Amino acid sequence: MSQIRSKNTTPEKIVRSALHGLGLRFRLESTHLPCRPDIILAKHKTVIFVHGCFWHRHSGCKYSYKPKTRVDFWEDKFRQNIQRDLKNEASLKELGWNVVTIWECETKDADKLAAILKNLIS
């Protein structure tokens, strides 16, 4: 697991490129927020989390499969990830931020991603 990147993943780069193509400017880091979202659109008071379907358990997604070995470890890991995601989303909403989650599988379809991102600014 040490080889798995937490920053600058391919899905994040795809979303950032699409945002840039729409003319939106964003930040990647902020010291003023209680957690670390992947993308911050300060002008729109919106944060974007780009979640991997496997790690964050995107329900109904083919990429969200269950490993066959070390089942207890993985179930605990996934449960902790989901709890952390819910806590982070709640703390950001409490501060008045809009929270958007874009799943890894949604970044594979450019039209679907563009539709999601256009809804952010309308």
Side-chain angles (χ1 to χ4, degrees), residues 83-95:
Q83 287 176 346
R84 184 187 65 237
D85 293 342
L86 292 173
K87 184 185 106 198
N88 288 343
E89 185 174 336
S91 63
L92 287 166
K93 284 184 176 182
E94 191 175 296
L95 293 173

Side-chain angles (χ1 to χ4, degrees), residues 5-9 12 16 29 36 38:
R5 290 180 286 152
S6 62
K7 287 186 174 185
N8 296 323
T9 62
E12 286 178 23
R16 293 193 313 233
E29 295 182 15
R36 293 184 358 196
D38 297 311

Side-chain angles (χ1 to χ4, degrees), residues 9-12 14-15 38 49-58 61-65 101-110 112-113 116:
T9 62
T10 301
E12 286 178 23
I14 291 170
V15 172
D38 297 311
F49 289 99
V50 182
H51 285 334
C53 297
F54 175 76
W55 295 104
H56 298 271
R57 311 314 293 163
H58 186 202
C61 179
K62 69 178 181 177
Y63 300 111
S64 181
Y65 63 90
T101 300
I102 297 178
W103 294 96
E104 174 186 10
C105 61
E106 294 173 333
T107 65
K108 297 181 186 303
D109 182 0
K112 188 174 187 178
L113 180 60
I116 293 168

Side-chain angles (χ1 to χ4, degrees), residues 33-51:
L33 297 176
C35 61
R36 293 184 358 196
D38 297 311
I39 300 168
I40 304 162
L41 299 165
K43 180 179 177 182
H44 300 282
K45 196 140 183 172
T46 300
V47 296
I48 300 174
F49 289 99
V50 182
H51 285 334

